[in-house]
């Protein structure tokens, strides 16, 4: 069955970071499965890789990376950091949603509601709460990885 990335109500216009993070996560997850890595090992490898390019101190708010225009403007400014932020963000979501990323994405895309509403219904937290959650839980972990990478160079 073909799954469209377009959503009723135009939510596809407000998912720039989400689609990028989702696609990248799935490619890493698939590569991990093919090579025999556990999901936990794959997540650690992803986080270590993207921590090189993502500085939480310079992170944009995810709400400012939702529209196609905002996303493209941020990518033009610093594509490595923005892609890394999207992947780190989705990685955090996947850990919070028991890795049910495929179904979660389908849920979001099938709601005829704005992305914010569909996001909250799918993940159980608002985009604003997600931002706060990731800043409190994941960004410190990224900072530690960045420090370790810097010390190791």
């Amino acid at each position: 069955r073909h799954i469209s990335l377009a959503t009723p109500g135009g939510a596809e216009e407000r998912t720039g970071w989400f689609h990028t993070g989702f696609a990248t996560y799935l490619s890493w997850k698939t590569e991990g499965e093919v090579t025999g890595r556990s999901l936990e090992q794959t997540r650690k490898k992803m986080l270590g890789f993207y921590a090189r390019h993502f500085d939480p101190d310079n992170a944009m708010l995810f709400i400012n990376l939702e529209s196609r225009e905002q996303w493209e403007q941020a990518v033009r400014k610093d594509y490595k950091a923005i892609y890394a932020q999207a992947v780190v963000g989705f990685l955090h979501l996947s850990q919070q949603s028991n890795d049910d990323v495929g179904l979660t994405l389908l849920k979001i895309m099938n709601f005829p509601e704005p992305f914010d509403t569909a996001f909250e219904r799918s993940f159980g937290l608002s985009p604003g709460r997600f931002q706060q959650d990731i800043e409190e839980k994941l960004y410190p972990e990224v900072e530690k990885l960045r420090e370790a990478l810097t010390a190791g160079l």
Side-chain angles (χ1 to χ4, degrees), residues 35-89:
T35 59
R37 266 195 320 269
S38 72
L39 185 56
E40 186 59 32
Q41 290 169 322
T42 297
R43 286 177 169 162
K44 285 181 181 181
K45 188 173 180 177
M46 284 179 67
L47 192 57
F49 180 82
Y50 288 102
R52 299 173 194 272
H53 303 290
F54 174 57
D55 181 359
D57 291 335
N58 295 320
M60 294 183 67
L61 296 174
F62 280 95
I63 197 164
N64 294 333
L65 295 172
E66 288 180 3
S67 77
R68 183 173 294 160
E69 182 181 329
Q70 292 169 319
W71 174 254
E72 289 175 357
Q73 184 178 26
V75 167
R76 283 191 299 273
K77 184 177 177 186
D78 188 352
Y79 72 92
K80 287 181 181 180
I82 294 304
Y83 279 118
Q85 182 175 346
V87 174
V88 167

Side-chain angles (χ1 to χ4, degrees), residues 27-140:
S27 71
W28 276 79
K29 182 179 176 199
T30 301
E31 188 267 342
E33 290 170 354
V34 168
T35 59
R37 266 195 320 269
S38 72
L39 185 56
E40 186 59 32
Q41 290 169 322
T42 297
R43 286 177 169 162
K44 285 181 181 181
K45 188 173 180 177
M46 284 179 67
L47 192 57
F49 180 82
Y50 288 102
R52 299 173 194 272
H53 303 290
F54 174 57
D55 181 359
D57 291 335
N58 295 320
M60 294 183 67
L61 296 174
F62 280 95
I63 197 164
N64 294 333
L65 295 172
E66 288 180 3
S67 77
R68 183 173 294 160
E69 182 181 329
Q70 292 169 319
W71 174 254
E72 289 175 357
Q73 184 178 26
V75 167
R76 283 191 299 273
K77 184 177 177 186
D78 188 352
Y79 72 92
K80 287 181 181 180
I82 294 304
Y83 279 118
Q85 182 175 346
V87 174
V88 167
F90 195 85
L91 180 60
H92 184 69
L93 279 176
S94 75
Q95 292 171 313
Q96 303 306 307
S97 65
N98 298 319
D99 197 48
D100 205 3
V101 293
L103 291 176
T104 302
L105 180 64
L106 291 176
K107 287 178 190 176
I108 286 175
M109 292 182 170
N110 287 318
F111 287 133
E113 300 148 336
F115 178 73
D116 295 357
T117 304
F119 185 95
E120 187 166 358
R121 285 183 61 175
S122 295
F123 292 107
L125 71 164
S126 69
R129 180 64 191 125
F130 164 70
Q131 182 73 45
Q132 183 181 0
D133 191 55
I134 200 169
E135 288 173 4
E136 292 171 358
K137 295 178 182 174
L138 192 59
Y139 286 3

